[in-house]
Amino acid sequence: MMYDDFMQLVTFNLGKEEYGIDIMKVEGIVREEEIRSIPNAPLFVEGVFNLRGEIIPVISLHKRFFIDEAKKDEADDLLRGFIIIRVNNMKLAVKIDKVSKVTNIDKKKVQQPPQMNRGIGSEYIQGVTSLDDQYIIILDIERLFALKELKQLEILNKR
């Protein structure tokens, strides 16, 4: 078994679907914090929060891709939070419904994403795979935001 044949994913739930992000793109996972809203922010920006003195924009992929939030119960409250990622040298917090686990995926089993009409478009997806009868959509975080959107986020980061 070659290490290069595998990728490690942080998996999480958004609505009813399971998603994964390459662990090399993840800076950390934190519990949901109080978010301060920002006037005139892009629709998909929930606001900002303070992480050890650093102000970080909070992104809602639910709003970005019109995904319904999962029904919430108290047990899920402990698993809800933010995945901290770095895109274009900028830290962003992606709001998630539930952290699942860190898992190894065989790269040979990752397939091209199907063309989708609703939800996250295939241009934002690195691939899809299954693990333990669970279908995982692997997000390409470098492509989740247009350059124009990243510029808007950069401005928020400097506030």
Side-chain angles (χ1 to χ4, degrees):
M1 177 170 89
M2 293 286 298
Y3 184 73
D4 288 348
D5 295 341
F6 286 84
M7 72 190 301
Q8 269 198 315
L9 297 177
V10 174
T11 61
F12 56 93
N13 290 96
L14 284 178
K16 295 182 175 112
E17 300 294 334
E18 181 98 5
Y19 293 89
I21 295 177
D22 185 335
I23 199 166
M24 300 308 287
K25 309 282 185 192
V26 174
E27 299 234 339
I29 300 169
V30 295
R31 289 190 52 181
E32 193 166 303
E33 298 280 333
E34 186 180 331
I35 301 170
R36 297 192 55 192
S37 61
I38 301 173
N40 304 321
L43 177 70
F44 59 87
V45 177
E46 292 271 309
V48 292
F49 85 108
N50 186 328
L51 178 65
R52 296 182 285 280
E54 194 173 358
I55 303 301
I56 300 177
V58 177
I59 305 302
S60 168
L61 293 181
H62 299 93
K63 289 179 181 173
R64 177 83 168 88
F65 297 112
F66 309 103
I67 298 169
D68 292 330
E69 285 195 36
K71 301 262 185 284
K72 296 177 176 151
D73 63 36
E74 282 184 37
D76 290 340
D77 276 346
L78 298 171
L79 298 170
R80 200 174 2 268
F82 307 136
I83 293 182
I84 310 299
I85 60 173
R86 184 176 290 277
V87 181
N88 275 22
N89 273 335
M90 184 175 28
K91 276 188 188 174
L92 300 173
V94 175
K95 189 175 177 187
I96 58 171
D97 290 331
K98 191 170 154 184
V99 172
S100 296
K101 60 186 174 250
V102 173
T103 187
N104 287 320
I105 299 290
D106 185 340
K107 287 180 182 175
K108 291 187 207 88
K109 292 185 179 170
V110 174
Q111 299 168 14
Q112 287 300 308
Q115 293 299 319
M116 293 184 225
N117 299 336
R118 292 182 45 233
I120 296 183
S122 57
E123 67 269 26
Y124 307 112
I125 299 174
Q126 196 172 324
V128 292
T129 189
S130 60
L131 179 75
D132 307 328
D133 297 330
Q134 183 78 33
Y135 183 68
I136 299 173
I137 300 167
I138 305 167
L139 296 177
D140 184 345
I141 65 161
E142 301 294 328
R143 296 173 68 186
L144 278 183
F145 306 101
L147 219 47
K148 181 180 160 197
E149 292 167 331
L150 287 172
K151 292 272 181 245
Q152 288 175 304
L153 291 170
E154 228 168 88
I155 292 165
L156 294 179
N157 234 358
K158 291 184 168 94
R159 283 189 182 175

